[in-house]
Amino acid sequence: MSRREKLRQIMLDDIKQVARQQMAENGTATISLSAIARALEVSQPALYRYYPSRDDLITALILDAYNDLADTEAAADSSQPSEYYGRRLMAVILAIREWAVAHPLDFQLIYGNPIPGYHAPEAETMPAARRGFAVILRILYQALLAGALKPRPSDLEQAARMSTRLQVEENGQAIDLPQVVLYIGVAGWYQTNGLIMLELFNHTRALIADPGAFYQAEMENLLNSLGLET
Amino acid sequence: MSRREKLRQIMLDDIKQVARQQMAENGTATISLSAIARALEVSQPALYRYYPSRDDLITALILDAYNDLADTEAAADSSQPSEYYGRRLMAVILAIREWAVAHPLDFQLIYGNPIPGYHAPEAETMPAARRGFAVILRILYQALLAGALKPRPSDLEQAARMSTRLQVEENGQAIDLPQVVLYIGVAGWYQTNGLIMLELFNHTRALIADPGAFYQAEMENLLNSLGLET
DNA sequence: TGTACATCAGTGAACGCGCGTTCACTGATGTAC
DNA sequence: TGTACATCAGTGAACGCGCGTTCACTGATGTAC
């Protein structure tokens, strides 16, 4: 990488970093190129050398958020011995909340209100969005094969309502994911997200003493009810 | 009410109505007095006769949303015979999703990202926010007294994590609400909200065939696990 | 019932601000021979 | 190693736009006697 390319990379990152700071102060909807230019002490048109438009910058931020969350999940997963499926899931689930609390605006960027006037290029954002979800699905699938995950009758009923067949990579080949795994993944997803959202937007502040402990206990109950030991 | 007061009331409502339309088109963050004035074919300063500032208009919209949702819940509750607690809860839970799907922007206004630059006067918004939650808590409390609601051991454990004592009005007097009722209310709340949010923001579009049926089945499982018959 | 006054709705002009984006350009950095 | 050229980063000026809010004002509606 040439000197020029290195400087360019630094500037690309600096712009995103300042944008994240601005979001943290004023919300996702107020990302503004002129404010970023001011903070970087650079003229406004200079930014167009790096991102051809405001939308492209937002897309870059969204992709970073999805990927950062997925990386965090993957790291939490591999921090546990691979045959302890419940502990692996629990580690990932706790990592998700910790990431959301540490990066509330990145979380809002991907799971909150859409930004007015911005249209996501789904061909780019969808694969990034799936990465984090795939971490959980893979663990659930392995747990099912090993007999550690024991779906209840109601889980099997709900599994029939899933409309897609997803595939997972296992040992280099793509395998059809059982619908019950997809269902349990979705169930865990909406429960974690729901609790995190209420916490982030202060709706439960007056009700729950220790949101982290509450979250953990809720999710342990969910995993235990599926036969998974944590 | 005098003729002048009537006209004033109509204008107050028209302004909110147009604001809701603008939100529906561009998101909650873009509520703009000048756009509203344009739509009403009136000069921009004229709006200041009705709402002293943009923040006051937003507050009015938020209060309307909370109250409308609470009214919808109360109506659903009273559509069922009072001794069928499970059915009453189910009716309320379904009404919440239907309201959210019918008024997605009102839902975002109260449960989604905060609006940049807007600060809610909590003394006004908190009581309105509690109204809808109170509908559910009252049913749960009555069901507990009647023995229809059967908390599991894990529910009692989680109840200990609640940090407030709430009160409910029963026959004109305020009664301390058991913590387990508050806990079950919170658990239902984050699960309904989580599922509704994922649906509203299209995250589950490709995964769930019929989101309404899925939601209903999920919530039925939750109520049944608490001993409540639907 | 008529008159005098107070109240209120609405206007046009202005203030001061920020926004995304385009354009023609200067000057520095890198590349080919 | 030196020169000629291409590439790239960054600038200042400008365009056209929308925003919330204040002000002094006009004219219509309501009220008191």
Side-chain angles (χ1 to χ4, degrees), chain A residues 4 8 11 42-43 45-46 49-50:
Chain A
R4 201 181 241 173
R8 182 176 174 78
M11 188 65 171
V42 114
S43 75
R49 287 270 157 205
Y50 300 92

Side-chain angles (χ1 to χ4, degrees), chain B residues 11 33-34 36-38 40-49:
Chain B
M11 188 65 172
L33 293 183
S34 52
I36 294 169
R38 230 177 296 127
L40 288 171
E41 293 186 312
V42 112
S43 74
Q44 211 173 330
L47 299 182
Y48 285 79
R49 287 269 158 206

Side-chain angles (χ1 to χ4, degrees), chain B residues 122-192:
Chain B
E122 292 209 2
E124 291 178 58
T125 55
M126 278 284 280
R130 294 249 160 123
R131 274 195 57 210
F133 195 35
V135 171
I136 287 183
L137 294 180
R138 189 173 298 110
I139 306 173
L140 286 171
Y141 181 49
Q142 293 172 3
L144 182 71
L145 292 184
L149 172 66
K150 305 179 190 78
R152 299 155 292 187
S154 65
D155 296 323
L156 298 168
E157 277 173 38
Q158 285 293 70
R161 299 182 188 277
M162 299 291 106
S163 63
T164 337
R165 299 211 74 88
L166 284 192
Q167 302 201 316
V168 266
E169 289 275 335
E170 270 295 297
N171 305 322
Q173 51 181 341
I175 301 171
D176 264 4
L177 197 70
Q179 297 296 67
V180 72
V181 166
L182 181 54
Y183 161 68
I184 292 171
V186 169
W189 188 18
Y190 81 73
Q191 293 189 36
T192 52

